[in-house]
Amino acid sequence: MAMIIDGKAVSAQIREEIKEDVIAFTKKHGAAPSLTVIIVGEDPASQVYVRNKHKACEQVGIKSDIIRLPAETGEDELLSLIDRLNGDKTVNGILVQLPLPKHINEESVICKISPEKDVDAFGYENVGRIYTGHFDFLPCTPAGVMELLHRSGISVSGKECVVIGRSNIVGKPMAALLMHENGTVTVCHTKTKDLSLHTRRADILVSSVGKANFITADMVKEGAVIIDVGINHLHDGKLTGDVDYEGCFEKAAAITPVPGGVGPMTITMLLKNTLTAANKQI
Ligand code: GUN
């Protein structure tokens, strides 16, 4: 039977720690750390994410501004706005919510954000820093996974780690962070032949696929740690991960539920990055 890795509880604990640090920062510097989030268009999921980020900032005392732009905003206009925010000393962190409308090049926009304000750590400089191990910020979801492992007393060193998914946001940085902690890392993706061959070897399995019930009990090793990064909306409105939770529960040593596993950690890591950014900019 698996230990349930309670992301909600771990997240609440870290947010309390961040809150203390934010209070101290604000007292010392006369202004709270600040995050500006830009959202372009009306994507409903993005609206929810942005609202949740705003609420989380308020909860820990970080100043949060949301700039809402219409879907037809031009790329040049967005780049000029980022340029202005880069130069604004009262703004410590800048986040552009993705996805952007199709006529805007996401890469150009992300890379326009000053590396020291790039709290998503998506820009080229921060990506390079992650791979070389010289980082200030880590991308929020992989950082949240590492924090869950640390705070659950799970060591990565020498373990077989299998990451499913090779996105820039989760899979690739996840693999880098596991390597930094001496894991033996395999990254699987849509073109991987015989996925089960890999997943059954995993001591630590991280799934970021986006398909409900994709990971079944026969694909996991007895005693594995299963980290479910998937967020899938079922027809009945319920949220579920990539993993057949009930099926894998008996076999795993530890498992993250969805909801209440990795999800709450992502925003918590954004709060942490914003505080780090503010401290670096003093
Ligand atoms: N859209 C979905 N996840 C994310 C994220 O972590 N950061 C940003 N900026 N956009 C997202």
Side-chain angles (χ1 to χ4, degrees):
M1 209 166 73
M3 167 178 81
I4 298 170
I5 301 176
D6 186 346
K8 218 168 147 184
V10 174
S11 180
Q13 190 190 338
I14 299 173
R15 287 189 197 193
E16 279 308 310
E17 295 164 13
I18 293 172
K19 196 171 173 177
E20 294 295 314
D21 290 345
V22 169
I23 289 169
F25 180 98
T26 308
K27 215 182 242 172
K28 190 166 171 195
H29 302 291
S34 86
L35 172 70
T36 297
V37 173
I38 303 169
I39 177 165
V40 185
E42 302 295 330
D43 179 65
S46 292
Q47 297 285 344
V48 174
Y49 290 140
V50 166
R51 227 176 8 250
N52 288 342
K53 285 169 185 173
H54 181 70
K55 271 196 271 185
C57 282
E58 289 200 321
Q59 193 193 14
V60 300
I62 289 175
K63 181 174 178 286
S64 160
D65 290 306
I66 303 175
I67 299 178
R68 296 176 190 280
L69 300 173
E72 53 288 357
T73 301
E75 185 172 315
D76 285 349
E77 194 184 332
L78 185 53
L79 293 175
S80 303
L81 170 63
I82 293 170
D83 212 25
R84 181 173 69 70
L85 295 171
N86 282 342
D88 183 342
K89 285 193 164 39
T90 68
V91 174
N92 301 124
I94 303 169
L95 181 150
V96 178
Q97 188 64 31
L98 304 177
L100 288 168
K102 295 221 170 350
H103 66 277
I104 300 177
N105 183 322
E106 283 188 353
E107 198 119 325
S108 310
V109 169
I110 286 166
C111 290
K112 186 75 180 175
I113 300 170
S114 288
E116 67 272 17
K117 296 191 179 188
D118 173 23
V119 285
D120 262 330
F122 289 170
Y124 293 155
E125 178 168 331
N126 283 313
V127 171
R129 285 179 170 278
I130 291 157
Y131 277 91
T132 54
H134 297 98
F135 45 77
D136 295 319
F137 320 117
L138 294 173
C140 300
T141 300
V145 171
M146 296 312 289
E147 199 69 51
L148 281 180
L149 293 174
H150 296 155
R151 291 186 184 233
S152 305
I154 297 164
S155 164
V156 173
S157 187
K159 302 268 173 69
E160 289 290 334
C161 305
V162 175
V163 177
I164 315 178
R166 56 178 158 178
S167 69
N168 291 335
I169 295 181
V170 181
K172 286 179 197 164
M174 188 75 251
L177 300 193
L178 291 165
M179 272 193 286
H180 287 323
E181 297 203 4
N182 301 314
T184 302
V185 182
T186 304
V187 180
C188 300
H189 44 76
T190 44
K191 298 287 189 289
T192 297
K193 289 177 188 153
D194 199 351
L195 181 65
S196 296
L197 190 77
H198 300 284
T199 59
R200 278 201 292 264
R201 287 179 31 249
D203 299 312
I204 298 175
L205 178 63
V206 181
S207 180
S208 172
V209 172
K211 285 186 190 154
N213 293 317
F214 184 78
I215 304 293
T216 47
D218 58 303
M219 296 169 73
V220 304
K221 181 166 129 179
E222 192 84 38
V225 172
I226 304 178
I227 306 292
D228 191 348
V229 183
I231 301 176
N232 306 300
H233 297 272
L234 298 177
H235 293 304
D236 61 5
K238 285 201 182 116
L239 207 63
T240 188
D242 293 343
V243 177
D244 167 19
Y245 184 82
E246 273 76 32
C248 293
F249 187 79
E250 293 301 324
K251 227 171 159 184
I255 189 164
T256 60
V258 177
V262 176
M265 293 297 290
T266 297
I267 292 184
T268 301
M269 293 299 106
L270 172 66
L271 303 175
K272 189 176 167 198
N273 283 350
T274 304
L275 179 60
T276 302
N279 274 313
K280 298 280 292 185
Q281 287 162 34
I282 291 161

